[in-house]
Amino acid sequence: MVLSPTIDSRRLTGWNGLQFSNPVNWEVIVAGPRHLLVENDLNPLLEIRWEPDGKISVDQVIQATISRLADSKLSVLKLVPPEPFRNLNLPDLSGLTWHDNESLDALVWQCPVCKTVLFLHLNSQQTNPATVASLLQSLRCHQKPEEDALWSIQDFRLILPPGYTYIDSTFSAGLSRLAFSGQDLRLDFCRLAPASARLAQSSLSELLKSMLGRQEQEEILNHSNVMCEMQVNPTFARRLVAHLTRKSMYRWGRIWHDEHHNRLLSLIVESRHLIHLDEAHHLANRYEILPLQ
């Protein structure tokens, strides 16, 4: 189940199987496939790491923390989580401290349903425990196989149907990219900003051709001032080569201009077989920009 993207003054964040609600003024930064950093006005608040399917245990996480801090000559101690964390329905929730005043530095626990192990490191000087407890109360680390997956970070929101696996991502100045594979498709979602600067140098069709690889067989399916859609269907000779090398030769792409947010969004779909346009349109229609505040 994917909840509303904003709840009052909070935002629903989703990344690689994890969902939680956080204040809209918090910035959630991707540090790895299962590693998120949270900041507020450039001040670090907390970080979250997780590993699904019981691949590691809580004890292994604690031992890894001890080893990581050994060079700093810090001793890691377990402690009973303080209020308000004790009121959360998180079995076997353990607190960790590595400071002399025994303030809470981290929380670690295992989900009893999906066996995901989660590690949350707090910046004790900057983080309000009640706010963190509210985040944990909303946290979900598992879903039913038939449920859609939410990917919502920074200013975009993407909802994927079941069956797609995360490949990689890029977050840099003016460019965000997420890649997935599944159901004989490769999906590349991009966000380009600011759109005005990009469009001052290239048209939508030129940008999309570049993303598709500038193939000779490009066919424009739809084109307007704010959207361009193309497909690439290989020749018989190229299809034969693709069959022998198992390479994806069919490509479909759409790029569109979100004028209100000054963003360009795009989706490139690749496959070894003919791409069904209804499916491609459905994927693109569930990718959008959200207001930051």
Side-chain angles (χ1 to χ4, degrees):
M1 178 179 63
V2 175
L3 304 177
S4 171
T6 56
I7 305 171
D8 298 328
S9 61
R10 303 180 71 83
R11 177 186 299 278
L12 187 64
T13 294
W15 184 261
N16 209 3
L18 203 69
Q19 286 187 32
F20 56 85
S21 170
N22 56 271
V24 294
N25 59 316
W26 284 13
E27 181 182 6
V28 182
I29 302 166
V30 176
R34 296 186 182 91
H35 184 192
L36 298 177
L37 306 177
V38 180
E39 295 181 352
N40 183 17
D41 293 331
L42 300 180
N43 294 313
L45 298 179
L46 54 91
E47 65 174 312
I48 307 174
R49 298 174 183 261
W50 66 101
E51 194 65 46
D53 305 325
K55 295 177 181 178
I56 60 173
S57 67
V58 168
D59 287 340
Q60 286 175 310
V61 171
I62 295 174
Q63 288 302 316
T65 304
I66 293 173
S67 299
R68 188 171 68 251
L69 296 175
D71 292 341
S72 303
K73 302 188 183 304
L74 295 174
S75 298
V76 178
L77 302 175
K78 290 182 66 174
L79 53 77
V80 176
E83 297 287 354
F85 300 108
R86 285 200 295 269
N87 297 327
L88 300 174
N89 186 24
L90 297 175
D92 301 323
L93 178 67
S94 296
L96 300 178
T97 181
W98 46 82
H99 288 96
D100 293 337
N101 61 2
E102 295 190 359
S103 60
L104 181 68
D105 288 302
L107 294 165
V108 59
W109 71 100
Q110 184 175 46
C111 173
V113 177
C114 64
K115 306 306 179 184
T116 295
V117 172
L118 301 101
F119 177 85
L120 188 146
H121 174 214
L122 301 94
N123 184 307
S124 302
Q125 304 301 317
Q126 300 288 341
T127 311
N128 185 322
T131 305
V132 177
S134 177
L135 181 152
L136 295 181
Q137 190 73 52
S138 69
L139 188 144
R140 297 179 68 233
C141 55
H142 54 270
Q143 59 189 53
K144 297 178 181 178
E146 67 273 13
E147 287 184 342
D148 293 335
L150 173 70
W151 295 78
S152 185
I153 212 89
Q154 293 184 345
D155 63 349
F156 69 82
R157 179 175 186 250
L158 166 65
I159 300 176
L160 280 181
Y164 288 95
T165 302
Y166 169 82
I167 299 176
D168 59 28
S169 58
T170 301
F171 294 93
S172 58
L175 170 66
S176 298
R177 184 188 66 85
L178 278 79
F180 303 89
S181 65
Q183 304 180 23
D184 190 43
L185 300 177
R186 177 188 168 98
L187 312 178
D188 280 279
F189 293 88
C190 286
R191 177 189 63 90
L192 303 171
S196 54
R198 302 276 183 168
L199 294 174
Q201 299 177 351
S202 304
S203 66
L204 287 174
S205 60
E206 289 171 336
L207 289 169
L208 185 55
K209 285 180 181 180
S210 177
M211 293 176 178
L212 288 169
R214 297 190 178 275
Q215 302 288 331
E216 295 180 359
Q217 298 83 12
E218 293 153 354
E219 176 187 358
I220 296 179
L221 302 177
N222 204 337
H223 190 271
S224 70
N225 291 333
V226 295
M227 191 268 285
C228 184
E229 180 182 331
M230 298 181 183
Q231 69 179 2
V232 176
N233 292 329
T235 62
F236 175 77
R238 285 180 174 269
R239 290 200 301 270
L240 182 59
V241 171
H243 177 74
L244 295 174
T245 60
R246 302 186 65 82
K247 290 184 178 180
S248 298
M249 297 298 294
Y250 290 89
R251 292 184 177 89
W252 172 92
R254 176 191 287 181
I255 186 170
W256 63 102
H257 184 191
D258 184 330
E259 296 178 294
H260 179 70
H261 297 103
N262 196 24
R263 299 287 189 269
L264 291 175
L265 297 177
S266 69
L267 169 60
I268 304 297
V269 181
E270 298 182 8
S271 177
R272 292 189 295 114
H273 303 99
L274 189 66
I275 296 170
H276 298 288
L277 295 183
D278 287 346
E279 183 177 4
H281 293 164
H282 179 69
L283 291 166
N285 291 339
R286 305 181 87 188
Y287 182 37
E288 62 180 335
I289 294 293
L290 297 173
L292 287 176
Q293 296 290 345

